[in-house]
Amino acid sequence: MQTDNREDEFRSFVLAHRESLRRYAYMLCGDWHEADDLVQKSLTKLFPAWHRIEHGGTSAYARRIVTNTYLSHLRRGWVRRERSTAEPPDTRVTGTPQEGVDTRLEVLDALRRLPKRQRATLVLRFCEQLSVEETAKAMRCSIGTVKSQSSKGIQTLRRLLPAQSQPEFQGR
């Protein structure tokens, strides 16, 4: 009976948070398929620890697992290798894009060019709207590291982006 209750709680958590975790993973890696894989691997890691987690901090813990999975995923050699294809990908935007799509695409492209820790820090701080302390906890690093990675990441984004595409960086 206890196992059934645990599985039901976990299933409810997954239904409520999967899309949020998927968007977060996409912001980290820039690829929806890879984001799906990261979330699936992370949820697989989360389930065995489910009974030990204080459920008030479950989503933060899940984000931390996604972050760690993403960072360890990048360490694998095959991820860093170039992959060739017969045809180059079609990068044209079709239809009438909604207002701001071009800007979001420029920001996402610039985010992809950041070093992985700067990218993770900026996504946690400004997309997920975590505080400096929450970001440090999620990344298992010091508050000073979060501040320096944020500062360096913002400086790099400002260099990479045209002035009209630069987002407002307002943390809490």
Side-chain angles (χ1 to χ4, degrees), residues 99-124:
E99 189 175 316
V101 170
D102 291 335
T103 300
R104 282 193 299 269
L105 291 174
E106 288 174 353
V107 171
L108 285 172
D109 182 53
L111 269 174
R112 279 187 215 111
R113 294 191 283 173
L114 291 176
K116 61 186 176 184
R117 289 189 59 83
Q118 288 178 16
R119 182 182 331 153
T121 303
L122 292 181
V123 169
L124 285 168

Side-chain angles (χ1 to χ4, degrees), residues 27-121:
M27 294 296 288
L28 291 175
C29 68
D31 179 90
W32 286 111
H33 298 291
E34 188 176 342
D36 287 333
D37 290 345
L38 288 172
V39 170
Q40 185 62 41
K41 287 176 186 174
S42 299
L43 292 173
T44 302
K45 293 175 183 178
L46 177 61
F47 182 71
W50 187 253
H51 67 284
R52 296 187 313 257
I53 302 170
E54 291 181 29
H55 293 292
T58 309
S59 61
Y61 188 70
R63 270 195 309 273
R64 185 168 76 188
I65 293 173
V66 171
T67 303
N68 290 341
T69 303
Y70 163 73
L71 292 174
S72 69
H73 177 73
L74 287 179
R75 291 184 195 113
R76 298 196 174 125
W78 66 269
V79 173
R80 292 188 300 261
R81 287 189 211 124
E82 284 187 34
R83 295 182 185 113
S84 61
T85 59
E87 296 291 323
D90 185 4
T91 58
R92 294 175 291 158
V93 176
T94 58
T96 310
Q98 63 192 28
E99 189 175 316
V101 170
D102 291 335
T103 300
R104 282 193 299 269
L105 291 174
E106 288 174 353
V107 171
L108 285 172
D109 182 53
L111 269 174
R112 279 187 215 111
R113 294 191 283 173
L114 291 176
K116 61 186 176 184
R117 289 189 59 83
Q118 288 178 16
R119 182 182 331 153
T121 303

Side-chain angles (χ1 to χ4, degrees), residues 16-27:
H17 292 69
R18 179 178 218 125
E19 278 306 308
S20 171
L21 291 172
R22 185 174 180 253
R23 282 190 304 273
Y24 170 62
Y26 174 76
M27 294 296 288

